[in-house]
Amino acid sequence: MIQIRRADERGHANHGWLDTYHTFSFSDYYDPKFMGFRSLRVINEDWVKPGYGFPTHPHRDMEIITYVLEGSLEHKDSMGTGSVIRPGEIQKMSAGTGVRHSEFNHSQSEPVHLLQIWMLPEKEGIKPMYEQKAIPAEEKQGKLRLIASPKGGNGAVTVYQDAQLYATVLNGSQSVQHELGKDRYAWIQVARGKVKLNGNELQAGDGAAIAAEPKVEITGTNDNSEVLLFDLA
C-alpha cells in the first residue's frame, strides 16, 4: 500500500524571512491525518532568506537531521559545536536530555534551502550528541547511499532509532530498488526533480508512506532527481 502526500497538500507558512512547508503537523499547522509516520515526526522544507534564521531555542528527546539542498546553514549549540552545513553533507543532532541551538543562513546574499527532519528516539534521556558527515556525490548517483543508521559508520551519521535513511540522485531513467524486510515500512521524500515510485509519479515536495510492499523501486524521470528513502520499524 502506498499513500502519497502531495507537495501542495502540505501545511504552509510564509514568515517573510522563512518560507516553510510541513509534511506533518507542526507548530500552528495541525492535521490529525498527518501527525507523523512510524518514528518520523517532522519533515519541513524550508527556504531561509540571507542573514536570517532560527534564534537559540531548546530541544530534548528528538533525533534532528538537517539536509541542505542549496546554500549553507550555520549551526551553533550548547554542546560547543559550531559548524556550517552545505549540500552534500548530512548533520544529525541527538537532543537527548536537552540541548539549545541556533540555525542561521550562513550567506548574506543567497537563500538557503533545506529539509529538516525529526525522528523520535528509541528511548528518552540519552546524552546529547552532534555529528556531521560529507557524502561524496558519486556515491549517491544512481544508487542508494546509506546516510543515517543506528550503527552509523562508513560516512553515515548515527541515529538512536531503528531506522535507516538513504539518499539517491537519479538521471533520466536510472532506477534503484530497496527490499523491505518483514514488518518494515518506508517513507519516500522527493527533494528535487521527478521520479516514479512503484509506477506512481512523484515530484519535488511529494512524499509517500509505504506499507506491506515487498520492494520499493524509484525511477528517475528527469536529470538530477534527488530522493530520500526512510526504512522504518
Side-chain angles (χ1 to χ4, degrees), residues 23-68:
T23 294
F24 304 119
S25 295
F26 183 85
S27 186
D28 294 331
Y29 170 65
Y30 175 72
D31 184 337
K33 300 188 297 296
F34 290 95
M35 297 298 295
F37 180 70
R38 310 304 295 175
S39 57
L40 264 176
R41 181 63 188 84
V42 169
I43 302 179
N44 289 347
E45 184 173 13
D46 295 340
W47 286 263
V48 181
K49 285 188 174 181
Y52 287 86
F54 305 91
T56 302
H57 57 281
H59 290 285
R60 66 177 301 131
D61 293 321
M62 195 67 70
E63 299 292 285
I64 300 172
I65 294 171
T66 302
Y67 193 83
V68 173

mmCIF file of all heavy atoms in Angstrom, residues 23-68:
data_model
loop_
_atom_site.group_PDB
_atom_site.id
_atom_site.type_symbol
_atom_site.label_atom_id
_atom_site.label_comp_id
_atom_site.label_asym_id
_atom_site.label_seq_id
_atom_site.Cartn_x
_atom_site.Cartn_y
_atom_site.Cartn_z
ATOM 1 N N THR A 23 5.273 18.610 5.981
ATOM 2 C CA THR A 23 4.679 17.344 5.583
ATOM 3 C C THR A 23 3.748 16.816 6.663
ATOM 4 O O THR A 23 2.684 16.273 6.373
ATOM 5 C CB THR A 23 5.782 16.316 5.274
ATOM 6 O OG1 THR A 23 6.510 16.754 4.121
ATOM 7 C CG2 THR A 23 5.211 14.935 5.000
ATOM 8 N N PHE A 24 4.155 16.986 7.919
ATOM 9 C CA PHE A 24 3.360 16.540 9.066
ATOM 10 C C PHE A 24 2.984 17.749 9.933
ATOM 11 O O PHE A 24 3.567 18.822 9.796
ATOM 12 C CB PHE A 24 4.140 15.517 9.891
ATOM 13 C CG PHE A 24 4.623 14.325 9.119
ATOM 14 C CD1 PHE A 24 5.976 14.047 9.021
ATOM 15 C CD2 PHE A 24 3.726 13.483 8.478
ATOM 16 C CE1 PHE A 24 6.437 12.940 8.302
ATOM 17 C CE2 PHE A 24 4.170 12.382 7.752
ATOM 18 C CZ PHE A 24 5.527 12.106 7.667
ATOM 19 N N SER A 25 2.028 17.541 10.826
ATOM 20 C CA SER A 25 1.592 18.609 11.718
ATOM 21 C C SER A 25 2.788 19.208 12.447
ATOM 22 O O SER A 25 3.639 18.482 12.974
ATOM 23 C CB SER A 25 0.588 18.062 12.729
ATOM 24 O OG SER A 25 -0.600 17.641 12.080
ATOM 25 N N PHE A 26 2.836 20.540 12.486
ATOM 26 C CA PHE A 26 3.983 21.225 13.073
ATOM 27 C C PHE A 26 3.582 22.658 13.402
ATOM 28 O O PHE A 26 2.929 23.321 12.587
ATOM 29 C CB PHE A 26 5.161 21.223 12.089
ATOM 30 C CG PHE A 26 6.422 21.837 12.627
ATOM 31 C CD1 PHE A 26 7.305 21.078 13.388
ATOM 32 C CD2 PHE A 26 6.731 23.163 12.378
ATOM 33 C CE1 PHE A 26 8.471 21.636 13.885
ATOM 34 C CE2 PHE A 26 7.893 23.732 12.862
ATOM 35 C CZ PHE A 26 8.769 22.966 13.624
ATOM 36 N N SER A 27 3.982 23.123 14.591
ATOM 37 C CA SER A 27 3.724 24.494 15.015
ATOM 38 C C SER A 27 2.222 24.795 14.903
ATOM 39 O O SER A 27 1.403 24.080 15.479
ATOM 40 C CB SER A 27 4.567 25.455 14.179
ATOM 41 O OG SER A 27 4.454 26.779 14.652
ATOM 42 N N ASP A 28 1.839 25.821 14.145
ATOM 43 C CA ASP A 28 0.429 26.199 14.048
ATOM 44 C C ASP A 28 -0.349 25.348 13.040
ATOM 45 O O ASP A 28 -1.568 25.492 12.921
ATOM 46 C CB ASP A 28 0.298 27.676 13.646
ATOM 47 C CG ASP A 28 0.822 28.615 14.718
ATOM 48 O OD1 ASP A 28 0.771 28.243 15.908
ATOM 49 O OD2 ASP A 28 1.284 29.719 14.368
ATOM 50 N N TYR A 29 0.341 24.492 12.305
ATOM 51 C CA TYR A 29 -0.337 23.640 11.329
ATOM 52 C C TYR A 29 -0.690 22.309 11.979
ATOM 53 O O TYR A 29 0.180 21.615 12.526
ATOM 54 C CB TYR A 29 0.558 23.393 10.113
ATOM 55 C CG TYR A 29 0.026 22.326 9.186
ATOM 56 C CD1 TYR A 29 -1.169 22.522 8.498
ATOM 57 C CD2 TYR A 29 0.702 21.122 9.013
ATOM 58 C CE1 TYR A 29 -1.675 21.536 7.656
ATOM 59 C CE2 TYR A 29 0.215 20.146 8.167
ATOM 60 C CZ TYR A 29 -0.977 20.357 7.500
ATOM 61 O OH TYR A 29 -1.480 19.374 6.672
ATOM 62 N N TYR A 30 -1.974 21.950 11.905
ATOM 63 C CA TYR A 30 -2.428 20.707 12.529
ATOM 64 C C TYR A 30 -3.342 19.956 11.573
ATOM 65 O O TYR A 30 -4.323 20.505 11.065
ATOM 66 C CB TYR A 30 -3.191 21.010 13.823
ATOM 67 C CG TYR A 30 -3.806 19.782 14.456
ATOM 68 C CD1 TYR A 30 -3.002 18.823 15.082
ATOM 69 C CD2 TYR A 30 -5.184 19.575 14.418
ATOM 70 C CE1 TYR A 30 -3.565 17.686 15.655
ATOM 71 C CE2 TYR A 30 -5.757 18.446 14.992
ATOM 72 C CZ TYR A 30 -4.938 17.504 15.599
ATOM 73 O OH TYR A 30 -5.484 16.381 16.155
ATOM 74 N N ASP A 31 -2.995 18.718 11.307
ATOM 75 C CA ASP A 31 -3.822 17.825 10.509
ATOM 76 C C ASP A 31 -3.783 16.467 11.193
ATOM 77 O O ASP A 31 -2.733 15.802 11.209
ATOM 78 C CB ASP A 31 -3.292 17.713 9.078
ATOM 79 C CG ASP A 31 -4.196 16.858 8.181
ATOM 80 O OD1 ASP A 31 -4.951 16.025 8.711
ATOM 81 O OD2 ASP A 31 -4.121 17.024 6.947
ATOM 82 N N PRO A 32 -4.881 16.036 11.808
ATOM 83 C CA PRO A 32 -4.863 14.770 12.561
ATOM 84 C C PRO A 32 -4.517 13.558 11.717
ATOM 85 O O PRO A 32 -4.121 12.521 12.250
ATOM 86 C CB PRO A 32 -6.287 14.682 13.135
ATOM 87 C CG PRO A 32 -7.118 15.563 12.263
ATOM 88 C CD PRO A 32 -6.204 16.664 11.813
ATOM 89 N N LYS A 33 -4.657 13.677 10.383
ATOM 90 C CA LYS A 33 -4.324 12.552 9.498
ATOM 91 C C LYS A 33 -2.825 12.480 9.215
ATOM 92 O O LYS A 33 -2.331 11.477 8.717
ATOM 93 C CB LYS A 33 -5.095 12.665 8.177
ATOM 94 C CG LYS A 33 -6.608 12.670 8.304
ATOM 95 C CD LYS A 33 -7.302 12.588 6.953
ATOM 96 C CE LYS A 33 -6.981 13.799 6.082
ATOM 97 N NZ LYS A 33 -7.495 15.057 6.647
ATOM 98 N N PHE A 34 -2.111 13.559 9.524
ATOM 99 C CA PHE A 34 -0.671 13.601 9.245
ATOM 100 C C PHE A 34 0.072 14.123 10.477
ATOM 101 O O PHE A 34 0.544 15.257 10.501
ATOM 102 C CB PHE A 34 -0.386 14.468 8.012
ATOM 103 C CG PHE A 34 -0.852 13.845 6.731
ATOM 104 C CD1 PHE A 34 -2.096 14.165 6.205
ATOM 105 C CD2 PHE A 34 -0.068 12.910 6.069
ATOM 106 C CE1 PHE A 34 -2.545 13.576 5.037
ATOM 107 C CE2 PHE A 34 -0.506 12.312 4.902
ATOM 108 C CZ PHE A 34 -1.750 12.640 4.381
ATOM 109 N N MET A 35 0.156 13.235 11.476
ATOM 110 C CA MET A 35 0.880 13.570 12.707
ATOM 111 C C MET A 35 2.313 13.039 12.680
ATOM 112 O O MET A 35 3.099 13.303 13.583
ATOM 113 C CB MET A 35 0.139 12.998 13.921
ATOM 114 C CG MET A 35 -1.244 13.566 14.127
ATOM 115 S SD MET A 35 -1.240 15.349 14.427
ATOM 116 C CE MET A 35 -0.380 15.422 15.992
ATOM 117 N N GLY A 36 2.635 12.282 11.653
ATOM 118 C CA GLY A 36 3.933 11.628 11.537
ATOM 119 C C GLY A 36 3.717 10.285 10.865
ATOM 120 O O GLY A 36 2.593 9.929 10.487
ATOM 121 N N PHE A 37 4.797 9.541 10.732
ATOM 122 C CA PHE A 37 4.709 8.196 10.172
ATOM 123 C C PHE A 37 5.750 7.334 10.842
ATOM 124 O O PHE A 37 6.951 7.610 10.747
ATOM 125 C CB PHE A 37 4.928 8.223 8.655
ATOM 126 C CG PHE A 37 4.840 6.866 8.012
ATOM 127 C CD1 PHE A 37 3.625 6.212 7.919
ATOM 128 C CD2 PHE A 37 5.975 6.241 7.508
ATOM 129 C CE1 PHE A 37 3.532 4.952 7.327
ATOM 130 C CE2 PHE A 37 5.891 4.986 6.915
ATOM 131 C CZ PHE A 37 4.663 4.338 6.821
ATOM 132 N N ARG A 38 5.289 6.297 11.572
ATOM 133 C CA ARG A 38 6.180 5.462 12.368
ATOM 134 C C ARG A 38 7.006 6.364 13.309
ATOM 135 O O ARG A 38 6.431 7.186 14.008
ATOM 136 C CB ARG A 38 7.054 4.573 11.481
ATOM 137 C CG ARG A 38 6.288 3.792 10.413
ATOM 138 C CD ARG A 38 5.173 2.925 10.940
ATOM 139 N NE ARG A 38 5.696 1.833 11.784
ATOM 140 C CZ ARG A 38 4.919 0.974 12.447
ATOM 141 N NH1 ARG A 38 3.597 1.101 12.398
ATOM 142 N NH2 ARG A 38 5.444 0.008 13.170
ATOM 143 N N SER A 39 8.333 6.289 13.272
ATOM 144 C CA SER A 39 9.133 7.152 14.155
ATOM 145 C C SER A 39 9.378 8.537 13.569
ATOM 146 O O SER A 39 9.917 9.421 14.253
ATOM 147 C CB SER A 39 10.472 6.488 14.475
ATOM 148 O OG SER A 39 11.183 6.181 13.289
ATOM 149 N N LEU A 40 8.996 8.752 12.302
ATOM 150 C CA LEU A 40 9.149 10.068 11.687
ATOM 151 C C LEU A 40 8.124 11.029 12.273
ATOM 152 O O LEU A 40 6.923 10.723 12.321
ATOM 153 C CB LEU A 40 8.908 9.982 10.180
ATOM 154 C CG LEU A 40 10.107 9.838 9.265
ATOM 155 C CD1 LEU A 40 9.620 9.682 7.823
ATOM 156 C CD2 LEU A 40 11.038 11.018 9.378
ATOM 157 N N ARG A 41 8.590 12.189 12.704
ATOM 158 C CA ARG A 41 7.673 13.167 13.310
ATOM 159 C C ARG A 41 7.587 14.467 12.512
ATOM 160 O O ARG A 41 6.539 15.108 12.473
ATOM 161 C CB ARG A 41 8.121 13.457 14.750
ATOM 162 C CG ARG A 41 7.228 14.434 15.504
ATOM 163 C CD ARG A 41 5.826 13.895 15.673
ATOM 164 N NE ARG A 41 4.931 14.904 16.218
ATOM 165 C CZ ARG A 41 4.311 15.834 15.513
ATOM 166 N NH1 ARG A 41 4.499 15.915 14.201
ATOM 167 N NH2 ARG A 41 3.502 16.697 16.078
ATOM 168 N N VAL A 42 8.695 14.881 11.878
ATOM 169 C CA VAL A 42 8.732 16.157 11.159
ATOM 170 C C VAL A 42 9.528 15.992 9.871
ATOM 171 O O VAL A 42 10.608 15.395 9.875
ATOM 172 C CB VAL A 42 9.381 17.273 12.023
ATOM 173 C CG1 VAL A 42 9.676 18.524 11.184
ATOM 174 C CG2 VAL A 42 8.500 17.624 13.210
ATOM 175 N N ILE A 43 8.985 16.492 8.772
ATOM 176 C CA ILE A 43 9.763 16.772 7.559
ATOM 177 C C ILE A 43 9.341 18.160 7.104
ATOM 178 O O ILE A 43 8.245 18.333 6.553
ATOM 179 C CB ILE A 43 9.545 15.747 6.432
ATOM 180 C CG1 ILE A 43 9.894 14.328 6.878
ATOM 181 C CG2 ILE A 43 10.391 16.126 5.207
ATOM 182 C CD1 ILE A 43 9.667 13.263 5.808
ATOM 183 N N ASN A 44 10.180 19.147 7.373
ATOM 184 C CA ASN A 44 9.913 20.520 6.958
ATOM 185 C C ASN A 44 10.849 20.901 5.821
ATOM 186 O O ASN A 44 12.056 20.640 5.894
ATOM 187 C CB ASN A 44 10.123 21.499 8.114
ATOM 188 C CG ASN A 44 9.038 21.386 9.183
ATOM 189 O OD1 ASN A 44 8.005 20.752 8.969
ATOM 190 N ND2 ASN A 44 9.274 21.991 10.321
ATOM 191 N N GLU A 45 10.290 21.504 4.787
ATOM 192 C CA GLU A 45 11.099 22.042 3.699
ATOM 193 C C GLU A 45 11.140 23.553 3.865
ATOM 194 O O GLU A 45 10.100 24.219 3.791
ATOM 195 C CB GLU A 45 10.511 21.658 2.343
ATOM 196 C CG GLU A 45 11.374 22.110 1.177
ATOM 197 C CD GLU A 45 10.904 21.603 -0.168
ATOM 198 O OE1 GLU A 45 9.770 21.087 -0.255
ATOM 199 O OE2 GLU A 45 11.680 21.711 -1.144
ATOM 200 N N ASP A 46 12.332 24.085 4.114
ATOM 201 C CA ASP A 46 12.499 25.490 4.470
ATOM 202 C C ASP A 46 13.340 26.240 3.444
ATOM 203 O O ASP A 46 14.339 25.710 2.944
ATOM 204 C CB ASP A 46 13.204 25.625 5.828
ATOM 205 C CG ASP A 46 12.397 25.077 6.984
ATOM 206 O OD1 ASP A 46 11.164 24.925 6.839
ATOM 207 O OD2 ASP A 46 12.999 24.792 8.040
ATOM 208 N N TRP A 47 12.934 27.475 3.169
ATOM 209 C CA TRP A 47 13.758 28.446 2.457
ATOM 210 C C TRP A 47 13.976 29.622 3.408
ATOM 211 O O TRP A 47 13.002 30.245 3.865
ATOM 212 C CB TRP A 47 13.078 28.943 1.189
ATOM 213 C CG TRP A 47 13.039 27.983 0.050
ATOM 214 C CD1 TRP A 47 13.898 27.925 -1.021
ATOM 215 C CD2 TRP A 47 12.075 26.949 -0.191
ATOM 216 N NE1 TRP A 47 13.527 26.928 -1.895
ATOM 217 C CE2 TRP A 47 12.417 26.314 -1.421
ATOM 218 C CE3 TRP A 47 10.949 26.500 0.518
ATOM 219 C CZ2 TRP A 47 11.681 25.258 -1.939
ATOM 220 C CZ3 TRP A 47 10.226 25.447 0.007
ATOM 221 C CH2 TRP A 47 10.590 24.834 -1.213
ATOM 222 N N VAL A 48 15.232 29.914 3.739
ATOM 223 C CA VAL A 48 15.555 30.990 4.685
ATOM 224 C C VAL A 48 16.307 32.086 3.946
ATOM 225 O O VAL A 48 17.295 31.819 3.244
ATOM 226 C CB VAL A 48 16.402 30.459 5.862
ATOM 227 C CG1 VAL A 48 16.702 31.580 6.853
ATOM 228 C CG2 VAL A 48 15.689 29.299 6.557
ATOM 229 N N LYS A 49 15.862 33.316 4.120
ATOM 230 C CA LYS A 49 16.486 34.443 3.432
ATOM 231 C C LYS A 49 17.897 34.710 3.969
ATOM 232 O O LYS A 49 18.226 34.331 5.102
ATOM 233 C CB LYS A 49 15.621 35.699 3.596
ATOM 234 C CG LYS A 49 14.366 35.690 2.735
ATOM 235 C CD LYS A 49 13.654 37.028 2.789
ATOM 236 C CE LYS A 49 12.489 37.069 1.806
ATOM 237 N NZ LYS A 49 11.792 38.387 1.842
ATOM 238 N N PRO A 50 18.729 35.358 3.160
ATOM 239 C CA PRO A 50 20.106 35.670 3.592
ATOM 240 C C PRO A 50 20.130 36.439 4.913
ATOM 241 O O PRO A 50 19.358 37.382 5.107
ATOM 242 C CB PRO A 50 20.641 36.538 2.455
ATOM 243 C CG PRO A 50 19.830 36.157 1.259
ATOM 244 C CD PRO A 50 18.462 35.827 1.782
ATOM 245 N N GLY A 51 21.022 35.989 5.806
ATOM 246 C CA GLY A 51 21.219 36.678 7.069
ATOM 247 C C GLY A 51 20.194 36.392 8.141
ATOM 248 O O GLY A 51 20.319 36.881 9.270
ATOM 249 N N TYR A 52 19.189 35.586 7.834
ATOM 250 C CA TYR A 52 18.140 35.277 8.805
ATOM 251 C C TYR A 52 18.261 33.827 9.273
ATOM 252 O O TYR A 52 19.015 33.032 8.707
ATOM 253 C CB TYR A 52 16.760 35.501 8.195
ATOM 254 C CG TYR A 52 16.384 36.951 8.024
ATOM 255 C CD1 TYR A 52 16.762 37.647 6.884
ATOM 256 C CD2 TYR A 52 15.652 37.623 9.002
ATOM 257 C CE1 TYR A 52 16.410 38.984 6.713
ATOM 258 C CE2 TYR A 52 15.297 38.948 8.851
ATOM 259 C CZ TYR A 52 15.677 39.623 7.706
ATOM 260 O OH TYR A 52 15.341 40.947 7.540
ATOM 261 N N GLY A 53 17.475 33.494 10.310
ATOM 262 C CA GLY A 53 17.495 32.126 10.794
ATOM 263 C C GLY A 53 16.709 31.958 12.073
ATOM 264 O O GLY A 53 15.908 32.818 12.466
ATOM 265 N N PHE A 54 16.960 30.835 12.736
ATOM 266 C CA PHE A 54 16.235 30.452 13.940
ATOM 267 C C PHE A 54 17.099 30.778 15.159
ATOM 268 O O PHE A 54 18.153 30.154 15.357
ATOM 269 C CB PHE A 54 15.927 28.947 13.927
ATOM 270 C CG PHE A 54 15.182 28.493 12.694
ATOM 271 C CD1 PHE A 54 15.875 28.055 11.564
ATOM 272 C CD2 PHE A 54 13.803 28.504 12.667
ATOM 273 C CE1 PHE A 54 15.199 27.633 10.434
ATOM 274 C CE2 PHE A 54 13.111 28.081 11.535
ATOM 275 C CZ PHE A 54 13.810 27.647 10.413
ATOM 276 N N PRO A 55 16.697 31.754 15.996
ATOM 277 C CA PRO A 55 17.492 32.083 17.182
ATOM 278 C C PRO A 55 17.585 30.894 18.134
ATOM 279 O O PRO A 55 16.868 29.883 17.978
ATOM 280 C CB PRO A 55 16.714 33.240 17.817
ATOM 281 C CG PRO A 55 15.832 33.765 16.735
ATOM 282 C CD PRO A 55 15.502 32.597 15.864
ATOM 283 N N THR A 56 18.438 31.003 19.120
ATOM 284 C CA THR A 56 18.668 29.908 20.068
ATOM 285 C C THR A 56 17.359 29.449 20.710
ATOM 286 O O THR A 56 16.576 30.248 21.218
ATOM 287 C CB THR A 56 19.657 30.355 21.162
ATOM 288 O OG1 THR A 56 20.880 30.754 20.534
ATOM 289 C CG2 THR A 56 19.941 29.214 22.125
ATOM 290 N N HIS A 57 17.138 28.133 20.655
ATOM 291 C CA HIS A 57 15.916 27.546 21.201
ATOM 292 C C HIS A 57 16.233 26.127 21.680
ATOM 293 O O HIS A 57 17.210 25.518 21.236
ATOM 294 C CB HIS A 57 14.801 27.537 20.144
ATOM 295 C CG HIS A 57 15.172 26.823 18.885
ATOM 296 N ND1 HIS A 57 15.975 27.386 17.899
ATOM 297 C CD2 HIS A 57 14.860 25.575 18.439
ATOM 298 C CE1 HIS A 57 16.137 26.524 16.915
ATOM 299 N NE2 HIS A 57 15.471 25.414 17.220
ATOM 300 N N PRO A 58 15.409 25.576 22.583
ATOM 301 C CA PRO A 58 15.712 24.264 23.160
ATOM 302 C C PRO A 58 15.046 23.105 22.425
ATOM 303 O O PRO A 58 14.018 23.264 21.771
ATOM 304 C CB PRO A 58 15.142 24.391 24.578
ATOM 305 C CG PRO A 58 13.952 25.291 24.404
ATOM 306 C CD PRO A 58 14.317 26.258 23.301
ATOM 307 N N HIS A 59 15.661 21.927 22.548
ATOM 308 C CA HIS A 59 15.069 20.654 22.134
ATOM 309 C C HIS A 59 15.435 19.606 23.167
ATOM 310 O O HIS A 59 16.468 19.715 23.846
ATOM 311 C CB HIS A 59 15.628 20.182 20.780
ATOM 312 C CG HIS A 59 15.203 21.000 19.615
ATOM 313 N ND1 HIS A 59 13.941 20.925 19.069
ATOM 314 C CD2 HIS A 59 15.879 21.907 18.864
ATOM 315 C CE1 HIS A 59 13.857 21.749 18.038
ATOM 316 N NE2 HIS A 59 15.023 22.358 17.888
ATOM 317 N N ARG A 60 14.637 18.556 23.233
ATOM 318 C CA ARG A 60 15.010 17.383 24.017
ATOM 319 C C ARG A 60 14.313 16.155 23.436
ATOM 320 O O ARG A 60 13.261 16.244 22.812
ATOM 321 C CB ARG A 60 14.693 17.562 25.506
ATOM 322 C CG ARG A 60 13.237 17.669 25.869
ATOM 323 C CD ARG A 60 13.055 17.780 27.386
ATOM 324 N NE ARG A 60 13.616 16.623 28.050
ATOM 325 C CZ ARG A 60 14.446 16.697 29.105
ATOM 326 N NH1 ARG A 60 14.823 17.875 29.571
ATOM 327 N NH2 ARG A 60 14.906 15.595 29.670
ATOM 328 N N ASP A 61 14.940 15.003 23.645
ATOM 329 C CA ASP A 61 14.392 13.703 23.258
ATOM 330 C C ASP A 61 13.866 13.703 21.815
ATOM 331 O O ASP A 61 12.716 13.354 21.539
ATOM 332 C CB ASP A 61 13.287 13.278 24.229
ATOM 333 C CG ASP A 61 13.848 12.995 25.616
ATOM 334 O OD1 ASP A 61 14.951 12.424 25.706
ATOM 335 O OD2 ASP A 61 13.191 13.357 26.613
ATOM 336 N N MET A 62 14.758 14.097 20.899
ATOM 337 C CA MET A 62 14.426 14.073 19.480
ATOM 338 C C MET A 62 15.711 13.889 18.681
ATOM 339 O O MET A 62 16.760 14.430 19.038
ATOM 340 C CB MET A 62 13.743 15.378 19.065
ATOM 341 C CG MET A 62 13.047 15.302 17.721
ATOM 342 S SD MET A 62 11.615 14.194 17.695
ATOM 343 C CE MET A 62 10.441 15.104 18.723
ATOM 344 N N GLU A 63 15.639 13.089 17.607
ATOM 345 C CA GLU A 63 16.733 12.960 16.658
ATOM 346 C C GLU A 63 16.469 13.955 15.527
ATOM 347 O O GLU A 63 15.446 13.844 14.828
ATOM 348 C CB GLU A 63 16.807 11.537 16.104
ATOM 349 C CG GLU A 63 17.064 10.468 17.155
ATOM 350 C CD GLU A 63 18.459 10.585 17.744
ATOM 351 O OE1 GLU A 63 19.425 10.214 17.060
ATOM 352 O OE2 GLU A 63 18.580 11.065 18.892
ATOM 353 N N ILE A 64 17.349 14.923 15.335
ATOM 354 C CA ILE A 64 17.130 16.007 14.383
ATOM 355 C C ILE A 64 18.171 15.915 13.270
ATOM 356 O O ILE A 64 19.372 15.942 13.532
ATOM 357 C CB ILE A 64 17.195 17.368 15.088
ATOM 358 C CG1 ILE A 64 16.106 17.438 16.177
ATOM 359 C CG2 ILE A 64 17.025 18.504 14.081
ATOM 360 C CD1 ILE A 64 16.207 18.661 17.067
ATOM 361 N N ILE A 65 17.694 15.790 12.044
ATOM 362 C CA ILE A 65 18.566 15.644 10.873
ATOM 363 C C ILE A 65 18.362 16.851 9.962
ATOM 364 O O ILE A 65 17.219 17.238 9.672
ATOM 365 C CB ILE A 65 18.257 14.342 10.114
ATOM 366 C CG1 ILE A 65 18.623 13.129 10.973
ATOM 367 C CG2 ILE A 65 18.986 14.294 8.775
ATOM 368 C CD1 ILE A 65 18.154 11.803 10.400
ATOM 369 N N THR A 66 19.454 17.432 9.499
ATOM 370 C CA THR A 66 19.396 18.553 8.561
ATOM 371 C C THR A 66 20.063 18.137 7.255
ATOM 372 O O THR A 66 21.174 17.618 7.257
ATOM 373 C CB THR A 66 20.104 19.794 9.141
ATOM 374 O OG1 THR A 66 19.477 20.149 10.382
ATOM 375 C CG2 THR A 66 20.007 20.965 8.184
ATOM 376 N N TYR A 67 19.351 18.387 6.147
ATOM 377 C CA TYR A 67 19.829 18.015 4.814
ATOM 378 C C TYR A 67 19.692 19.253 3.937
ATOM 379 O O TYR A 67 18.581 19.645 3.557
ATOM 380 C CB TYR A 67 18.984 16.852 4.283
ATOM 381 C CG TYR A 67 19.538 16.158 3.059
ATOM 382 C CD1 TYR A 67 20.510 15.168 3.173
ATOM 383 C CD2 TYR A 67 19.072 16.466 1.786
ATOM 384 C CE1 TYR A 67 20.996 14.509 2.046
ATOM 385 C CE2 TYR A 67 19.554 15.816 0.658
ATOM 386 C CZ TYR A 67 20.520 14.829 0.804
ATOM 387 O OH TYR A 67 20.999 14.171 -0.306
ATOM 388 N N VAL A 68 20.821 19.896 3.631
ATOM 389 C CA VAL A 68 20.825 21.144 2.874
ATOM 390 C C VAL A 68 20.837 20.838 1.380
ATOM 391 O O VAL A 68 21.656 20.050 0.902
ATOM 392 C CB VAL A 68 22.025 22.023 3.269
ATOM 393 C CG1 VAL A 68 22.127 23.241 2.364
ATOM 394 C CG2 VAL A 68 21.905 22.473 4.728
#
